[in-house]
Short mmCIF file of all heavy atoms in Angstrom, two decimals:
data_model
loop_
_atom_site.label_atom_id
_atom_site.label_comp_id
_atom_site.label_asym_id
_atom_site.label_seq_id
_atom_site.Cartn_x
_atom_site.Cartn_y
_atom_site.Cartn_z
N LEU A 956 0.83 -1.19 0.00
CA LEU A 956 0.00 0.00 0.00
C LEU A 956 0.87 1.24 0.00
O LEU A 956 1.91 1.28 0.65
CB LEU A 956 -0.85 0.05 1.28
CG LEU A 956 -1.74 -1.13 1.61
CD1 LEU A 956 -2.34 -0.96 2.99
CD2 LEU A 956 -2.83 -1.26 0.58
N LYS A 957 0.40 2.25 -0.69
CA LYS A 957 0.99 3.58 -0.60
C LYS A 957 -0.21 4.51 -0.53
O LYS A 957 -1.07 4.48 -1.43
CB LYS A 957 1.86 3.88 -1.82
CG LYS A 957 2.63 5.18 -1.70
CD LYS A 957 3.62 5.32 -2.84
CE LYS A 957 4.44 6.57 -2.71
NZ LYS A 957 5.38 6.71 -3.83
N ILE A 958 -0.29 5.28 0.55
CA ILE A 958 -1.48 6.08 0.80
C ILE A 958 -1.09 7.54 1.06
O ILE A 958 -0.19 7.80 1.87
CB ILE A 958 -2.26 5.53 2.02
CG1 ILE A 958 -2.58 4.04 1.81
CG2 ILE A 958 -3.53 6.33 2.27
CD1 ILE A 958 -3.03 3.33 3.06
N GLY A 959 -1.78 8.45 0.39
CA GLY A 959 -1.64 9.87 0.66
C GLY A 959 -2.76 10.29 1.60
O GLY A 959 -3.93 10.06 1.31
N VAL A 960 -2.39 10.86 2.75
CA VAL A 960 -3.38 11.24 3.76
C VAL A 960 -3.42 12.76 3.88
O VAL A 960 -2.38 13.42 4.01
CB VAL A 960 -3.02 10.62 5.14
CG1 VAL A 960 -4.03 11.02 6.21
CG2 VAL A 960 -2.93 9.09 5.04
N TRP A 961 -4.64 13.32 3.82
CA TRP A 961 -4.85 14.77 3.96
C TRP A 961 -6.00 14.97 4.94
O TRP A 961 -7.09 14.42 4.74
CB TRP A 961 -5.20 15.38 2.61
CG TRP A 961 -5.45 16.87 2.63
CD1 TRP A 961 -6.61 17.48 3.01
CD2 TRP A 961 -4.56 17.92 2.27
NE1 TRP A 961 -6.50 18.84 2.90
CE2 TRP A 961 -5.24 19.14 2.45
CE3 TRP A 961 -3.24 17.95 1.83
CZ2 TRP A 961 -4.66 20.36 2.19
CZ3 TRP A 961 -2.67 19.18 1.56
CH2 TRP A 961 -3.36 20.37 1.75
N ASP A 962 -5.78 15.73 5.97
CA ASP A 962 -6.83 16.08 6.94
C ASP A 962 -7.56 14.83 7.48
O ASP A 962 -8.77 14.83 7.62
CB ASP A 962 -7.82 17.06 6.29
CG ASP A 962 -8.68 17.78 7.34
OD1 ASP A 962 -8.29 17.84 8.51
OD2 ASP A 962 -9.77 18.27 6.96
N GLY A 963 -6.78 13.79 7.77
CA GLY A 963 -7.35 12.60 8.39
C GLY A 963 -8.02 11.62 7.46
O GLY A 963 -8.62 10.65 7.90
N LYS A 964 -7.92 11.86 6.15
CA LYS A 964 -8.54 10.95 5.19
C LYS A 964 -7.55 10.55 4.09
O LYS A 964 -6.68 11.34 3.71
CB LYS A 964 -9.74 11.63 4.52
CG LYS A 964 -10.91 11.85 5.45
CD LYS A 964 -12.20 11.89 4.66
CE LYS A 964 -13.44 11.98 5.50
NZ LYS A 964 -13.58 11.01 6.54
N ALA A 965 -7.76 9.34 3.56
CA ALA A 965 -6.95 8.88 2.43
C ALA A 965 -7.44 9.58 1.17
O ALA A 965 -8.60 9.46 0.80
CB ALA A 965 -7.06 7.38 2.28
N VAL A 966 -6.56 10.33 0.50
CA VAL A 966 -6.94 11.06 -0.71
C VAL A 966 -6.28 10.47 -1.96
O VAL A 966 -6.69 10.75 -3.08
CB VAL A 966 -6.63 12.57 -0.61
CG1 VAL A 966 -7.51 13.22 0.46
CG2 VAL A 966 -5.16 12.83 -0.33
N GLY A 967 -5.26 9.66 -1.76
CA GLY A 967 -4.60 8.96 -2.85
C GLY A 967 -4.23 7.58 -2.37
O GLY A 967 -3.67 7.45 -1.28
N ILE A 968 -4.59 6.55 -3.14
CA ILE A 968 -4.32 5.18 -2.70
C ILE A 968 -3.76 4.38 -3.87
O ILE A 968 -4.35 4.32 -4.95
CB ILE A 968 -5.62 4.48 -2.21
CG1 ILE A 968 -6.32 5.31 -1.13
CG2 ILE A 968 -5.30 3.08 -1.69
CD1 ILE A 968 -7.73 4.81 -0.79
N ASP A 969 -2.59 3.77 -3.63
CA ASP A 969 -2.01 2.84 -4.60
C ASP A 969 -1.96 1.47 -3.91
O ASP A 969 -1.44 1.36 -2.81
CB ASP A 969 -0.57 3.25 -4.97
CG ASP A 969 -0.51 4.61 -5.66
OD1 ASP A 969 -1.51 5.03 -6.26
OD2 ASP A 969 0.56 5.24 -5.58
N VAL A 970 -2.51 0.45 -4.56
CA VAL A 970 -2.49 -0.90 -4.02
C VAL A 970 -1.94 -1.84 -5.09
O VAL A 970 -2.39 -1.81 -6.23
CB VAL A 970 -3.91 -1.39 -3.63
CG1 VAL A 970 -3.86 -2.80 -3.06
CG2 VAL A 970 -4.56 -0.45 -2.64
N THR A 971 -0.95 -2.65 -4.72
CA THR A 971 -0.46 -3.69 -5.62
C THR A 971 -0.45 -5.00 -4.86
O THR A 971 -0.12 -5.03 -3.67
CB THR A 971 0.96 -3.39 -6.16
OG1 THR A 971 1.82 -3.08 -5.08
CG2 THR A 971 0.96 -2.23 -7.13
N SER A 972 -0.84 -6.05 -5.55
CA SER A 972 -0.84 -7.36 -4.91
C SER A 972 -0.01 -8.33 -5.74
O SER A 972 0.09 -8.20 -6.95
CB SER A 972 -2.27 -7.89 -4.76
OG SER A 972 -2.93 -7.89 -6.01
N THR A 973 0.59 -9.29 -5.04
CA THR A 973 1.36 -10.34 -5.69
C THR A 973 0.86 -11.67 -5.16
O THR A 973 0.94 -11.88 -3.95
CB THR A 973 2.87 -10.18 -5.36
OG1 THR A 973 3.26 -8.83 -5.60
CG2 THR A 973 3.71 -11.11 -6.20
N PRO A 974 0.32 -12.56 -5.98
CA PRO A 974 0.09 -12.37 -7.42
C PRO A 974 -0.97 -11.28 -7.67
O PRO A 974 -1.79 -11.03 -6.80
CB PRO A 974 -0.41 -13.75 -7.88
CG PRO A 974 -0.96 -14.39 -6.64
CD PRO A 974 -0.17 -13.85 -5.49
N LYS A 975 -0.91 -10.69 -8.87
CA LYS A 975 -1.81 -9.59 -9.20
C LYS A 975 -3.27 -10.03 -9.08
O LYS A 975 -3.65 -11.07 -9.61
CB LYS A 975 -1.52 -9.11 -10.63
CG LYS A 975 -2.24 -7.83 -10.99
CD LYS A 975 -1.77 -7.33 -12.34
CE LYS A 975 -2.26 -5.93 -12.59
NZ LYS A 975 -3.41 -5.78 -13.39
N ASN A 976 -4.06 -9.21 -8.37
CA ASN A 976 -5.47 -9.54 -8.16
C ASN A 976 -6.24 -8.22 -8.09
O ASN A 976 -6.29 -7.58 -7.05
CB ASN A 976 -5.63 -10.35 -6.86
CG ASN A 976 -7.06 -10.77 -6.60
OD1 ASN A 976 -8.00 -10.12 -7.05
ND2 ASN A 976 -7.22 -11.83 -5.85
N ASP A 977 -6.82 -7.81 -9.23
CA ASP A 977 -7.52 -6.52 -9.31
C ASP A 977 -8.70 -6.44 -8.35
O ASP A 977 -8.99 -5.37 -7.80
CB ASP A 977 -7.98 -6.24 -10.74
CG ASP A 977 -6.79 -6.01 -11.68
OD1 ASP A 977 -5.72 -5.59 -11.19
OD2 ASP A 977 -6.93 -6.25 -12.89
N LYS A 978 -9.40 -7.56 -8.17
CA LYS A 978 -10.56 -7.58 -7.26
C LYS A 978 -10.11 -7.32 -5.82
O LYS A 978 -10.72 -6.54 -5.09
CB LYS A 978 -11.26 -8.93 -7.38
CG LYS A 978 -12.66 -8.95 -6.83
CD LYS A 978 -13.33 -10.28 -7.16
CE LYS A 978 -14.62 -10.41 -6.37
NZ LYS A 978 -15.22 -11.72 -6.50
N LEU A 979 -9.03 -7.96 -5.42
CA LEU A 979 -8.45 -7.75 -4.08
C LEU A 979 -8.01 -6.30 -3.93
O LEU A 979 -8.32 -5.65 -2.92
CB LEU A 979 -7.27 -8.70 -3.86
CG LEU A 979 -6.43 -8.48 -2.60
CD1 LEU A 979 -7.27 -8.66 -1.33
CD2 LEU A 979 -5.24 -9.42 -2.57
N ASN A 980 -7.31 -5.77 -4.93
CA ASN A 980 -6.83 -4.38 -4.87
C ASN A 980 -7.99 -3.40 -4.69
O ASN A 980 -7.92 -2.49 -3.87
CB ASN A 980 -6.06 -4.02 -6.14
CG ASN A 980 -4.78 -4.82 -6.30
OD1 ASN A 980 -4.40 -5.60 -5.42
ND2 ASN A 980 -4.11 -4.65 -7.41
N ALA A 981 -9.07 -3.60 -5.44
CA ALA A 981 -10.24 -2.72 -5.36
C ALA A 981 -10.88 -2.81 -3.97
O ALA A 981 -11.27 -1.79 -3.39
CB ALA A 981 -11.25 -3.08 -6.43
N CYS A 982 -10.97 -4.02 -3.43
CA CYS A 982 -11.56 -4.21 -2.10
C CYS A 982 -10.71 -3.51 -1.03
O CYS A 982 -11.25 -2.82 -0.17
CB CYS A 982 -11.67 -5.71 -1.81
SG CYS A 982 -12.34 -6.07 -0.17
#
């Protein structure tokens, strides 16, 4: 995970999974 936090909330989120799983990343 890489998350940008502004004023107590996540405003930018990068998720990568290995093995790649788009459904997991979205969840």
